[in-house]
Amino acid sequence: KENASARQAVSLGFVGRVLQAMEATVGREVQFNSLSALRILTEQGRAQRAGLQEATLRAKVAHSGDEALVTAADEVLALVMPRFKEVLCWHWQSGWCKLGARCTYAHGPDDLRTQ
């Protein structure tokens, strides 16, 4: 039943509405709840991927100190991007990565995602 509901929500344009809400405010609750909705819609509703990566990265950077929000963002990014955080960042390994939280590669063994 959840898959059918998620597919219906995607067909009604809910992904676009969630992305609009994320752009309208950077408040923690809106960002966290939007990421949770995007994860469900992407995972079960086969939502379009366009715009999800940028909005998710923006939320992750804006709330980089919030572990729950960063985890939610990483879960969405793992669905949207192939091989997200599966390989160590060679810039980080050499001492500095200019992308920081926006980098899609792992910054250390604790950041590696299992497949």
Side-chain angles (χ1 to χ4, degrees):
K1 185 175 178 176
E2 286 181 4
N3 286 343
S5 298
R7 281 193 297 274
Q8 183 179 15
V10 168
S11 70
L12 292 173
F14 281 26
V15 172
R17 292 177 186 175
V18 170
L19 291 175
Q20 286 175 345
M22 290 180 80
E23 289 176 18
T25 182
V26 293
R28 190 253 183 223
E29 292 302 316
V30 170
Q31 298 295 312
F32 182 78
N33 291 332
S34 295
L35 289 169
S36 298
L38 287 175
R39 184 185 50 77
I40 292 168
L41 294 173
T42 304
E43 189 174 59
Q44 299 180 1
R46 299 189 186 114
Q48 62 190 26
R49 306 293 204 245
L52 294 179
Q53 178 180 344
E54 186 58 34
T56 303
L57 285 171
R58 254 194 326 269
K60 183 177 177 179
V61 169
H63 298 278
S64 59
D66 186 333
E67 189 174 327
L69 194 137
V70 168
T71 300
D74 285 348
E75 289 173 357
V76 173
L77 289 169
L79 293 169
V80 174
M81 301 174 62
R83 301 187 48 89
F84 175 74
K85 300 280 186 182
E86 291 180 358
V87 178
L88 285 173
C89 173
W90 65 273
H91 292 289
W92 179 84
Q93 288 177 314
S94 64
W96 184 70
C97 176
K98 69 179 181 177
L99 295 178
R102 297 179 64 87
C103 186
T104 60
Y105 294 95
H107 288 174
D110 294 340
D111 203 19
L112 282 171
R113 186 175 67 86
T114 57
Q115 293 129 343

